[in-house]
Amino acid sequence: MVKPLLQLLLTVGWTVVGVILIYGGLLLFDKLSPIDYRAEIRKGNVAAGVVQGAVILAIAAVVVGILTT
């Protein structure tokens, strides 16, 4: 019974680490970018939303690659 519980806790822990890394990467992108994408999305700019989504997917791909090795 201990082994499945330990595996569950490890999975949840690494998931939290992955989410924190993705969020940190998104914050870093926002700081380095000259455009305020969140404000543009609030104004209804679909292109800004697509860029923000692509950035999130790219960061997630890198984080998944790091965490699975």
Side-chain angles (χ1 to χ4, degrees):
M1 185 65 189
V2 176
K3 181 84 171 163
L5 183 61
L6 179 63
Q7 189 65 33
L8 177 68
L9 289 175
L10 284 172
T11 302
V12 170
W14 283 113
T15 302
V16 169
V17 169
V19 169
I20 290 170
L21 287 173
I22 291 170
Y23 186 70
L26 185 60
L27 288 178
L28 181 64
F29 175 77
D30 284 342
K31 294 285 184 192
L32 295 176
S33 176
I35 300 171
D36 187 9
Y37 284 102
R38 293 181 188 203
E40 290 295 322
I41 292 169
R42 285 187 196 106
K43 288 192 253 180
N45 189 343
V46 177
V50 170
V51 169
Q52 192 82 344
V55 167
I56 291 170
L57 289 175
I59 293 170
V62 171
V63 169
V64 166
I66 291 170
L67 290 180
T68 57
T69 59

